[in-house]
Amino acid sequence: MPIDAAKAISAEPRSTALTWGHKDIQLYHLGIGAGIPATDPEELRYTLESRLHVLPSFATVAGGGMAVAGGMSAPGIDVDLAAVLHGGQTVELHRPIPVSGDATQTSKVAAVYDKGKAAVIVLRSDVADADGPLWTCDTQIFARGEGGFGGERGPSDRVEPPAREPDHTVERAIREDQALLYRLSGDWNPLHADPAFAGVAGFERPILHGLCSYGMVLKAVVDTALDGDVARVRSYTTRFAGVVYPGETLRVRMWRDEGRVQVTATAVERDDAPVLTDTIVDHV
């Protein structure tokens, strides 16, 4: 059944209650590689409840929410989940995320683009608590074989790295068990744990979650370019350009500009294979 873009976009928003506490945040931070070295004061900001602050990318897992699964069940969207890829992610912060929270997430399909051989579905989630808006997430879903329905092609923005050496380059090792730990924050897709399932999907072994690499890269930017201050982040956007495997190393390159850090992330062991591109952290 083809995508009915008009029906998907005009559907009523769905609301979901979100609840989280310090253990959820600590587990998420550990899942993206925080806590090494374990006694480093800079790392204790991510792992020790008495010093805890919240990395903004936690918004993608708060309350155990899975925007992709929810969006694929929206009216007018009937696609083969095996053909679905996470194409891009944006988190816009309206204020710092509290260590514990009770909030309401309101989600809808914001746009559906026809790329010919594929469709891009943009899922938007607004989250607010009793004190007002907290964050807005835009999740871009790439559905192979679902294009050709006559819709708008949509934007095709690309952000080329500056023609100069990066201001910072750091490497972040991915532990062999990192995908197993990260999935405890809510993404139970066996692609990230089961070698047989990964093989059927065309991978030599389980791959790391895209949103895990997303969190790892933001942590590297905050720690390296933003003085370790998560409250400086205003928005964070990326396009997922390729996979990285547990046991490999992410190379994160950063170019600083006024109020903005442009970033690329690559897999060192595979000749700097692209992992994240078109990546921007806007900050104060």
Side-chain angles (χ1 to χ4, degrees):
M1 178 179 175
I3 292 174
D4 186 335
K7 183 176 181 180
I9 293 169
S10 64
E12 288 295 315
R14 301 181 179 187
S15 293
T16 307
L18 302 182
T19 301
W20 66 91
H22 70 85
K23 290 192 291 184
D24 303 298
I25 293 163
Q26 289 165 292
L27 180 62
Y28 172 75
H29 287 163
L30 291 171
I32 61 168
I36 299 175
T39 57
D40 185 337
E42 303 301 312
E43 293 299 316
L44 289 173
R45 296 175 303 174
Y46 297 104
T47 58
L48 185 61
E49 57 273 17
S50 61
R51 305 184 190 180
L52 201 58
H53 64 193
V54 186
L55 201 67
S57 52
F58 173 75
T60 61
V61 302
M66 282 293 295
V68 173
M72 294 304 94
S73 62
I77 304 294
D78 184 9
V79 302
D80 180 3
L81 290 179
V84 166
L85 297 172
H86 196 158
Q89 184 68 49
T90 297
V91 173
E92 179 185 358
L93 276 297
H94 305 302
R95 53 190 167 92
I97 300 174
V99 172
S100 61
D102 291 289
T104 299
Q105 174 178 275
T106 304
S107 303
K108 66 168 297 174
V109 175
V112 182
Y113 299 123
D114 187 347
K115 299 295 187 179
K117 294 183 179 180
V120 173
I121 303 162
V122 181
L123 312 174
R124 179 162 298 157
S125 299
D126 290 295
V127 174
D129 63 9
D131 295 322
L134 279 167
W135 68 79
T136 298
C137 281
D138 274 3
T139 303
Q140 294 188 20
I141 305 303
F142 189 85
R144 295 171 292 181
E146 298 294 341
F149 55 87
E152 295 182 17
R153 185 165 180 82
S156 56
D157 298 336
R158 291 291 180 265
V159 183
E160 294 296 328
R164 58 180 173 84
E165 289 297 307
D167 298 299
H168 307 282
T169 299
V170 299
E171 294 185 358
R172 293 292 182 265
I174 302 167
R175 300 192 312 272
E176 289 283 352
D177 65 348
Q178 194 152 336
L180 302 178
L181 182 57
Y182 180 84
R183 68 198 302 262
L184 300 181
S185 287
D187 187 342
W188 298 98
N189 189 334
L191 176 63
H192 308 293
D194 184 348
F197 190 95
V200 171
F203 297 102
E204 59 186 67
R205 59 187 187 274
I207 62 175
L208 190 68
H209 305 70
L211 285 179
C212 184
S213 58
Y214 180 78
M216 290 182 69
V217 168
L218 182 60
K219 181 178 182 296
V221 171
V222 168
D223 292 347
T224 305
L226 300 182
D227 305 315
D229 186 356
V230 299
R232 293 182 62 186
V233 177
R234 285 295 170 260
S235 68
Y236 174 36
T237 189
T238 198
R239 180 171 65 87
F240 298 108
V243 302
V244 66
Y245 293 93
E248 291 188 329
T249 306
L250 278 178
R251 179 174 286 140
V252 184
R253 296 178 174 92
M254 310 172 208
W255 291 264
R256 302 182 71 159
D257 200 353
E258 186 66 31
R260 170 169 288 194
V261 181
Q262 187 172 332
V263 190
T264 64
T266 59
V268 172
E269 289 82 359
R270 285 178 287 115
D271 298 321
D272 270 343
V275 178
L276 301 183
T277 61
D278 303 333
T279 304
I280 297 290
V281 178
D282 286 315
H283 64 85
V284 294

